[in-house]
């Protein structure tokens, strides 16, 4: 599923001016993977490139929704086949998603395929589907609770091996408890196909996932992704956030579709913004000498994202799992990850490579 990357604006305006990295020592990082439906194929591309780089060791992964699927694939692949194994599991999983979509009703129109407009704006099937989910709950239009994602997950990941703790990566998956409204972090022996599906359970599309008597919806409402498990559960101070939801948009949305899209983006970024505020607050206390360096953990934050690419995509495109769209996102993810490695690898373990205040606060 690889082909030449599509046209995009590079995250670093002139990559030719970047100084080559000469440091060869291995750096341990944690990954924070956002959810966003099919848009998480961008994170697949990022992971694909990072796994190629033997200077990078992944200690922990905190993930939500479709990011949880990526995280489970990486953790299982590393446990059974190392870096190459993780890349193969990721590719196989997204290949299965594309295969299922090829036979599904939500197909891009011929115009969208020709123009490479991925937003399903001209898809009659999506229009009918969109109307159905507005009028009926998943308990009504899907009483048998069929979820094709389960089949793709179980074909890609042996969750029994993950529950045995054989992976070298600590995996944290966020879901939202429907009853309490609190975040639930699945980890260790709790990692299962149900846990991944709970993390990715959009309440308008799927019935709530029941685990041990509690019901869960998408983790993006409370943590997209959650950073605190990486602070308390991992040694590395470096957290690389892989964004698939734009933080900012330059223009005011004026259409009903545009407003809904922006509301979703703000909602699914809100928990991350709050955690970044707390991290920034602690960092300021340490830098001003009000807290001794060793008393609290100073986190180093990095980000790989393509806001200018994602801003061209609407909410509908998150349900577009056509092979050419997934490949487009994957290839762009590799490009942005490569640019980030060239610009930021040398700063790992030393400082954050994004300005928390300007980006998040």
């Amino acid at each position: 599923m690889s082909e030449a990357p599509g046209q995009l604006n590079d995250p670093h305006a002139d990559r030719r001016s970047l100084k080559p990295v000469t440091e060869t020592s291995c750096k341990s990082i944690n990954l924070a993977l956002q959810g966003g439906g099919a848009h998480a194929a961008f994170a697949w591309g990022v992971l694909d490139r990072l796994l190629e780089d033997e200077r990078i060791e992944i200690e922990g992964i905190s993930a939500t929704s479709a990011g949880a699927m990526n995280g489970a694939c990486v953790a299982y692949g590393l446990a059974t086949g190392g870096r190459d194994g993780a890349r193969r599991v990721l590719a196989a999983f997204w290949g299965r998603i594309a295969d299922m979509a090829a036979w599904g009703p939500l197909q891009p129109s011929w115009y969208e395929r020709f123009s490479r407009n991925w937003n399903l704006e001209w898809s009659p099937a999506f229009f009918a589907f969109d109307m159905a989910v507005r009028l009926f709950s998943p308990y009504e239009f899907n009483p048998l609770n069929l979820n094709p994602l389960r089949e793709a997950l179980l074909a890609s990941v042996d969750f029994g091996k993950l529950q045995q703790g054989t992976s070298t990566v600590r995996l944290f998956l966020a879901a939202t408890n429907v009853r309490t409204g609190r975040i639930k972090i699945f980890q260790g022996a709790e990692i299962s196909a149900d846990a991944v599906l709970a993390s990715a359970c959009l309440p308008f599309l799927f019935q709530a996932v029941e685990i041990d008597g509690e019901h869960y919806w998408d983790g993006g409402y409370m943590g997209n992704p959650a950073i605190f498990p990486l602070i308390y559960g991992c040694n590395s101070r470096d957290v690389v956030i892989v964004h698939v939801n734009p933080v900012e948009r330059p223009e005011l949305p004026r259409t009903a579709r545009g407003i809904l899209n922006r509301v979703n983006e703000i909602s699914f970024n809100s928990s991350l913004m709050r955690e970044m505020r707390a991290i920034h607050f602690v960092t300021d206390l340490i830098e001003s000498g009000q807290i001794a360096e060793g008393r609290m953990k100073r986190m180093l934050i990095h980000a790989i994202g393509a806001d200018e690419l994602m801003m061209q995509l609407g909410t509908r495109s998150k349900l577009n799992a056509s092979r050419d769209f997934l490949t487009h996102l994957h290839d762009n993810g590799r490009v942005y990850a490569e640019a980030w490695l060239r610009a930021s690898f040398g700063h790992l373990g030393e400082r954050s490579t994004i300005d928390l205040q300007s980006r998040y606060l």
Side-chain angles (χ1 to χ4, degrees), residues 294-357:
R295 293 192 62 189
M296 297 192 77
K297 191 173 182 180
R298 178 173 182 170
M299 302 305 295
L300 307 178
I301 307 299
H302 318 272
I304 304 175
D307 279 8
E308 62 274 23
L309 174 68
M310 295 303 178
M311 280 190 287
Q312 302 170 24
L313 306 174
T315 303
R316 292 185 172 193
S317 65
K318 293 181 179 181
L319 294 177
N320 180 0
S322 61
R323 189 177 300 274
D324 52 352
F325 182 44
L326 299 182
T327 300
H328 170 74
L329 291 171
H330 165 270
D331 291 342
N332 278 289
R334 285 187 57 89
V335 170
Y336 278 82
E338 173 66 28
W340 179 82
L341 284 168
R342 295 182 63 193
S344 302
F345 177 84
H347 302 298
L348 292 175
E350 299 177 358
R351 66 174 181 86
S352 296
T353 55
I354 57 172
D355 185 333
L356 292 184
Q357 181 145 359

Side-chain angles (χ1 to χ4, degrees), residues 103-342:
W103 295 97
L106 299 183
Q107 298 292 328
S109 66
W110 68 267
Y111 170 77
E112 287 160 331
R113 293 185 185 277
F114 176 77
S115 64
R116 298 177 73 82
N117 175 348
W118 314 106
N119 291 320
L120 299 179
E121 294 174 351
W122 301 97
S123 170
F126 185 89
F127 180 79
F129 173 79
D130 189 47
M131 291 297 294
V133 298
R134 292 174 188 271
L135 295 173
F136 305 101
S137 82
Y139 298 87
E140 295 168 324
F141 70 75
N142 185 14
L144 297 179
N145 199 23
L146 301 176
N147 189 338
L149 294 176
R150 180 182 296 275
E151 180 182 341
L153 272 174
L154 292 176
S156 304
V157 177
D158 182 346
F159 286 93
K161 290 188 178 298
L162 286 183
Q163 292 168 349
Q164 293 170 6
T166 56
S167 178
T168 58
V169 173
R170 295 208 64 184
L171 183 60
F172 307 94
L173 307 181
T176 301
N177 186 305
V178 180
R179 181 180 61 85
T180 66
R182 298 172 184 168
I183 191 170
K184 165 66 178 178
I185 301 296
F186 295 97
Q187 57 182 305
E190 298 175 317
I191 300 296
S192 64
D194 280 342
V196 177
L197 293 174
S199 182
C201 180
L202 290 171
F204 299 107
L205 298 183
F206 305 112
Q207 296 182 22
V209 177
E210 183 178 359
I211 300 175
D212 296 333
E214 294 286 357
H215 292 83
Y216 297 97
W217 281 340
D218 196 292
Y221 296 109
M222 297 302 295
N224 192 25
I227 305 299
F228 70 87
L230 302 174
I231 298 175
Y232 300 123
C234 298
N235 293 319
S236 175
R237 297 187 301 159
D238 289 284
V239 176
V240 181
I241 304 170
V242 182
H243 286 277
V244 297
N245 298 294
V247 174
E248 296 184 12
R249 282 189 180 269
E251 298 178 356
L252 177 69
R254 297 183 182 275
T255 65
R257 188 181 305 152
I259 291 170
L260 178 62
N261 183 49
R262 188 58 183 150
V263 166
N264 286 335
E265 289 173 348
I266 292 172
S267 299
F268 275 68
N269 279 325
S270 61
S271 57
L272 177 63
M273 307 287 264
R274 289 193 295 270
E275 287 199 274
M276 289 299 104
R277 183 174 295 278
I279 290 172
H280 182 263
F281 177 71
V282 171
T283 301
D284 275 352
L285 291 178
I286 294 173
E287 290 183 345
S288 64
Q290 298 181 59
I291 295 179
E293 179 80 35
R295 293 192 62 189
M296 297 192 77
K297 191 173 182 180
R298 178 173 182 170
M299 302 305 295
L300 307 178
I301 307 299
H302 318 272
I304 304 175
D307 279 8
E308 62 274 23
L309 174 68
M310 295 303 178
M311 280 190 287
Q312 302 170 24
L313 306 174
T315 303
R316 292 185 172 193
S317 65
K318 293 181 179 181
L319 294 177
N320 180 0
S322 61
R323 189 177 300 274
D324 52 352
F325 182 44
L326 299 182
T327 300
H328 170 74
L329 291 171
H330 165 270
D331 291 342
N332 278 289
R334 285 187 57 89
V335 170
Y336 278 82
E338 173 66 28
W340 179 82
L341 284 168
R342 295 182 63 193

